[in-house]
Every structure is written in structure tokens, then in C-alpha cells.
Amino acid sequence: MQKWFEDAKLGIFIHYGIYAVDGVAESWSFYNGRMSYEDYMKQLDGFTASKFDADAWADLIEKSGAKYAVLTTKHHDGVALWDTQHSHLNTVKKTPAARDIVKQYADAITEKGLRLGFYFSLIDWSHPDYPSVYEGGNVPEDPASANRFSSPVDGIQDESRWEKFLEFNNRQLEELLTGYGKVDLLWFDGDWERSAEQWNLPHFKHYLKSFQPEIIINSRLQGHGDYKTPEQGLPITRPEGPWEFCTTINGSWGYVPADEHYKSLHQIVRMFCDCISMGGNMLLDIGPKEDGTIDERQEAILLGLGSWIRAHEEAVYGTKEGVMSRYYGDGSTLSADEKTLYLFVHGDPKESICMKGLCNEIQKVSVLHSGKPLTYDIHGGVPWFQIPGTTWIHLTREDTHELTTVIKLEFAEKVNMYGGSGAVVTHN
Ligand code: GLC
């Protein structure tokens, strides 16, 4: 895994597409029959990108504190946001926007010094050759029950059409990986409708890396990706290896004005702290309007998160996952040298916060955003059995940040936590 990714902590996901015209769910709305394919595709005529300003996006993303961005270059609907030569279904040829959105996005993101990510749907529910085979080649008992956009409904598989689709897929990916400068991250989606064998893995991955040797590929590649992508529900157990939690700000990936179910800024900050406490990144999604502007509520969340991160930078970038939540409940991170522990405090403490199992002697405790030193007490502990007491750090409401407060604990040595079950104290 590339170090930049593990150090970055925050990325911004952008679901931009023709679905913003009617404000409906991306691709799924026709696949699930909530609207006809024809009506869905009529949105092509309304996609103007008339106020699309890639520099403004890059500026907002940088202000959010994110170090990378991931744009939907093509969602499951098959509409490419770049000037692809392999299909007419793209924003240059088929929409009044008549421009290569990916190009402008890539230039602006790269210019800002952010890492460039492309979301690419392996599923293409518009391509005539895509619904030619079933997952793993297994014909279902009732072929007619298959969804016509993803599988043949007559029970007949056509391998040669599938090969044609793979060729098309490879050509489109080649365009993305060769025409837009350095691409840092490829975010696949929709691998689930075919098996690893059908996607021609691992050969397919080698093919992609031949264009961009340092590229990171997410896990949605039938077991061949570089990191895990839990979605919408925060992990409770730390996922194994590198990971990134993707989430929406309201409940929708794309622009759905009817969806008013927004998370608050504090909730977003807490979710972010939860991710980095467990060694993960957060990929926070925005869904721009069809004209390319961003809903002010989403913009406010990005700016708010950014100013929280700026006030707490050393607890965020380049840190490692913190101590387990049984030592401290609200989450924490550790500096790279493991000699500084950052505790997140989400609520208003009454008089103190409590940390268990800490074996190190504390050199200094302070509130990160204000630098104010704090006092603490240690109660209990059995030093001759190496069982530490409980550390009570004195903290009241006046010392807290308006969102999440960070308490900085400094030690002379690497942090050392007690993991035992306690003992009967003899030799008192
Ligand atoms: C799901 C959905 C898709 C969305 C993605 C984002 O896989 O299919 O619509 O783009 O999640 O993580």
C-alpha cells in the first residue's frame, strides 16, 4: 500500500452524472424499474454542466482537508464523463455540456497537489454486450427472472460477446489511464456481477498497472484489490489491512434534492474520528447538481470538517490507529513514533475523562486546539504487578472545542498498554 494513502485520512468522493438532472438515484433508478431506461436517458438532454468549475471543486476539496478525490468517470449507467472514442454514450457527444469533465477535473485536482482518483464502474448496463453471461457462468434456474440490464434473460450465454465487452472495458480504461496524467487511485465498483475469472483476474490488474505502475486499486475487484471499502455502515471490528469507509452526507450518492436526511457536521467529524481511530480513511461523498455546483449544505460540511481538521492536524495526518476502545471509548490516534496519543472527546465531560490500562508515565497532557495544559490523577494500580491504575484527565466544558475536542498525551517512550485481566493483590 502506498504511504500517501495511509497518511491521507480523508478523500472526497464525487458522484456526478446525468442522474443529477432529475435528481434520481444514480443508475439504480432504471435498473430497479423506478423509471424506464428511456426516461432515465432523457436526462442526457438536460445535463449542461453550465456552471461546472473544476478549480472551484479542487479548491473546496482542498479546504475540506482531503488529500485525494475520486470522481465517477462512469457509473453503472455507462455514461462516460470523458471524451471516450469507444462509445457515443459520453458527456461530450450526448449532452449539451459537450465537454470532457474528467479532463477538467483531473487537471484541477493535479494542479492543486491533490491525489487523483477515478471511480469506474465495471458494470455497464447500457452496453449491448454486457448482459451476455451470468455471474460465474452459472445459468439460473429461471433465466427470465434475471435483470435484462445485467444478464441474458433467455438462458443463453455468449462468451464471444463477453470477450467483446472486456475488450471495450480495457480500451476505456486505457483512455483513462493514459490520457489524464498520473492517476493515483482507481476505484472500481460493480465487480459483483461477474467472477474473478470472468474479469480475467489477475491478468486484468497487471494490465491496469502497466499504464500506471504506482496506482492503488480498491477492493471491488473480486479479491484482487489493494484495500477494503466498507460502505455506509461504520465498521465495528477493524477491517483487516488498509481500508477506507465511503459514506454520503445525506443518504444519496448523487444529487437528490428530495433527500433532506443530512448528517450534522459533528456527526461527520465523529465518523471521521472513528475511521482514523481504527486506521482507516474516510471517503466522503458529494453529489453535485447537474450544472456542476454543489449544494450549500454539502459545501458547509466540507468546509466545517476542513476547519476542524486544520485545528487538529497533528492528530490526523500521518497518524496510526489509536489504542483499543476498551482503554478509551471515544477513539484515538497515535503519532508515527507512538510517543504521542490523541484522544477524541465527542461530548461535554462533567469533570474528567477516563483512560484505562496506560503503563507509560505522562510527560504532558494538553488540549490540542488551545494548547492549554491539563492536570490529571491516577487512581489505583498495582505497580509491583505491572498493573496500571486508571488515569483521570481533568476536563470541563470550558476547555472543549465546539465539535470534537482532542486531548494530547505525551510520553518519553512508545505508548505501552496493559492487556491483562487484573489480579488478586498480594504483598500489600
Ligand atoms: C454502491 C452503488 C453505487 C455507488 C457506490 C458507492 O456500490 O452501486 O451506486 O456508487 O456504492 O460506494
Side-chain angles (χ1 to χ4, degrees):
M1 177 43 74
Q2 308 284 348
K3 190 164 184 313
W4 75 259
F5 180 81
E6 292 187 311
D7 288 348
K9 308 301 175 190
L10 182 67
I12 297 298
F13 211 174
I14 309 164
H15 274 68
Y16 189 37
I18 62 164
Y19 36 87
V21 173
D22 289 349
V24 295
E26 72 290 344
S27 311
W28 292 101
S29 35
F30 71 83
Y31 183 86
N32 288 336
R34 290 194 290 269
M35 69 197 291
S36 69
Y37 181 77
E38 292 64 34
D39 283 345
Y40 183 91
M41 284 300 166
K42 275 191 198 136
Q43 295 178 103
L44 286 163
D45 303 332
F47 187 77
T48 65
S50 57
K51 295 184 188 150
F52 170 61
D53 177 353
D55 292 322
W57 280 15
D59 198 48
L60 175 64
I61 291 165
E62 189 196 37
K63 289 197 173 115
S64 77
K67 299 292 186 192
Y68 62 104
V70 181
L71 169 71
T72 49
T73 61
K74 182 176 98 165
H75 205 265
H76 313 331
D77 59 13
V79 182
L81 265 61
W82 77 98
D83 192 12
T84 176
Q85 303 306 303
H86 305 288
S87 157
H88 290 298
L89 198 52
N90 66 66
T91 52
V92 184
K93 296 195 185 74
K94 280 280 165 72
T95 73
R99 51 170 141 172
D100 189 325
I101 305 281
V102 174
K103 173 96 183 84
Q104 286 171 302
Y105 155 82
D107 287 349
I109 292 294
T110 307
E111 169 93 346
K112 265 274 180 255
L114 298 164
R115 296 284 179 164
L116 180 65
F118 288 164
Y119 165 111
F120 182 88
S121 170
L122 290 164
I123 285 173
D124 188 327
W125 291 327
S126 285
H127 196 284
D129 293 321
Y130 180 77
S132 49
V133 293
Y134 298 98
E135 184 188 344
N138 303 318
V139 184
E141 266 180 35
D142 175 12
S145 68
N147 189 299
R148 71 181 169 101
F149 297 108
S150 55
S151 309
V153 286
D154 55 7
I156 300 166
Q157 303 199 74
D158 187 335
E159 288 293 341
S160 61
R161 279 178 60 210
W162 178 246
E163 286 304 319
K164 267 170 70 186
F165 175 76
L166 288 182
E167 180 60 18
F168 157 77
N169 215 39
N170 284 349
R171 293 283 81 82
Q172 282 207 324
L173 282 158
E174 180 183 3
E175 288 179 328
L176 286 173
L177 298 178
T178 56
Y180 299 90
K182 182 158 190 279
V183 184
D184 298 292
L185 200 157
L186 194 52
W187 211 101
F188 280 128
D189 195 19
D191 60 338
W192 57 80
E193 291 190 337
R194 302 290 182 261
S195 64
E197 219 183 345
Q198 288 169 317
W199 289 123
N200 198 12
L201 286 161
H203 181 79
F204 180 40
K205 193 174 176 186
H206 300 320
Y207 167 77
L208 301 165
K209 291 221 169 190
S210 72
F211 301 115
Q212 299 274 347
E214 287 172 17
I215 203 164
I216 297 175
I217 303 177
N218 74 341
S219 66
R220 301 189 182 185
L221 197 56
Q222 290 289 9
H224 291 263
D226 300 322
Y227 71 88
K228 299 208 168 58
T229 56
E231 171 174 341
Q232 295 291 35
L234 276 164
I236 300 301
T237 302
R238 186 210 192 285
E240 254 178 63
W243 63 280
E244 171 203 70
F245 170 66
C246 55
T247 184
T248 50
I249 295 179
N250 52 4
S252 310
W253 294 103
Y255 177 64
V256 179
D259 180 354
E260 303 263 353
H261 199 209
Y262 273 76
K263 299 171 184 81
S264 71
L265 175 57
H266 195 202
Q267 286 165 343
I268 296 283
V269 170
R270 288 186 70 150
M271 290 163 70
F272 178 57
C273 291
D274 274 351
C275 293
I276 64 177
S277 295
M278 286 198 287
N281 288 0
M282 182 160 93
L283 184 64
L284 182 64
D285 181 70
I286 53 174
K289 299 178 190 172
E290 71 74 23
D291 66 5
T293 59
I294 293 157
D295 186 292
E296 55 187 19
R297 289 166 293 185
Q298 301 191 5
E299 194 176 318
I301 292 279
L302 264 56
L303 294 175
L305 178 57
S307 49
W308 183 85
I309 291 177
R310 260 188 305 285
H312 301 99
E313 265 188 8
E314 62 171 88
V316 176
Y317 303 124
T319 56
K320 300 180 176 177
E321 62 192 278
V323 295
M324 284 187 289
S325 55
R326 15 187 149 141
Y327 296 118
Y328 177 73
D330 272 8
S332 58
T333 56
L334 267 173
S335 60
D337 67 3
E338 296 181 26
K339 291 181 183 174
T340 307
L341 180 64
Y342 302 95
L343 303 179
F344 300 124
V345 183
H346 300 306
D348 284 338
K350 288 229 186 316
E351 49 177 36
S352 53
I353 56 163
C354 163
M355 171 152 199
K356 289 169 279 184
L358 179 65
C359 299
N360 304 64
E361 198 179 306
I362 297 174
Q363 291 200 309
K364 190 178 173 196
V365 196
S366 55
V367 180
L368 184 58
H369 73 276
S370 64
K372 184 179 169 180
L374 298 174
T375 56
Y376 64 94
D377 278 324
I378 297 174
H379 287 296
V382 195
W384 58 97
F385 279 177
Q386 281 81 47
I387 299 174
T390 300
T391 308
W392 300 90
I393 301 166
H394 304 138
L395 181 73
T396 54
R397 198 173 175 193
E398 296 73 62
D399 293 324
T400 59
H401 187 271
E402 59 184 306
L403 296 164
T404 290
T405 311
V406 180
I407 305 301
K408 176 177 178 181
L409 279 84
E410 294 165 73
F411 315 114
E413 305 293 332
K414 282 188 178 192
V415 73
N416 177 20
M417 305 303 294
Y418 170 73
S421 319
V424 174
V425 180
T426 57
H427 309 93
N428 263 321

